[in-house]
Amino acid sequence: MDNTVRSYRGLEIYPLVYPHQPRGDDGSRHYDNGFDAAVRICRRGDDDTLTASRVFRVSSPVPFRAAGEARRASASYAERVIDGQIAGQSIVGL
């Protein structure tokens, strides 16, 4: 997966997408079982150093069918967290 960075309201958003099922004992991947997602929200200081970050898991009743779908859900979830629309999730302290 590429390291796509988005910016929203002065914060950086990093989608985190990973296979729903871990690698098998033989190292095989199970992409057909879907993907899970999380998002890392970061604040940078004036000198461009990372000052704070937090990871939020994107809750979904079933795995996302494709990596792109999970990535879009991560970005949307981050924006809703930043806007204060997700109960129990906050960027206070970032």
Side-chain angles (χ1 to χ4, degrees):
M1 315 281 155
D2 64 44
N3 293 328
T4 304
V5 180
R6 292 191 52 203
S7 185
Y8 183 74
R9 296 192 184 225
L11 298 168
E12 292 178 0
I13 298 171
Y14 295 86
L16 306 171
V17 176
Y18 45 96
H20 178 69
Q21 185 176 345
R23 281 187 188 202
D25 291 337
D26 61 356
S28 61
R29 297 186 187 263
H30 305 280
Y31 296 129
D32 291 346
N33 292 331
F35 296 86
D36 292 330
V39 63
R40 181 177 181 207
I41 301 175
C42 305
R43 182 178 306 278
R44 295 235 174 233
D46 292 334
D47 59 354
D48 202 35
T49 59
L50 180 67
T51 59
S53 72
R54 187 170 302 145
V55 174
F56 298 88
R57 186 173 188 278
V58 179
S59 61
S60 176
V62 296
F64 297 99
R65 291 183 309 255
E69 180 183 1
R71 195 170 12 274
R72 286 186 297 276
S74 293
S76 173
Y77 191 81
E79 290 176 4
R80 291 183 296 150
V81 168
I82 292 167
D83 289 341
Q85 298 175 350
I86 307 290
Q89 303 292 341
S90 172
I91 59 165
V92 172
L94 271 183

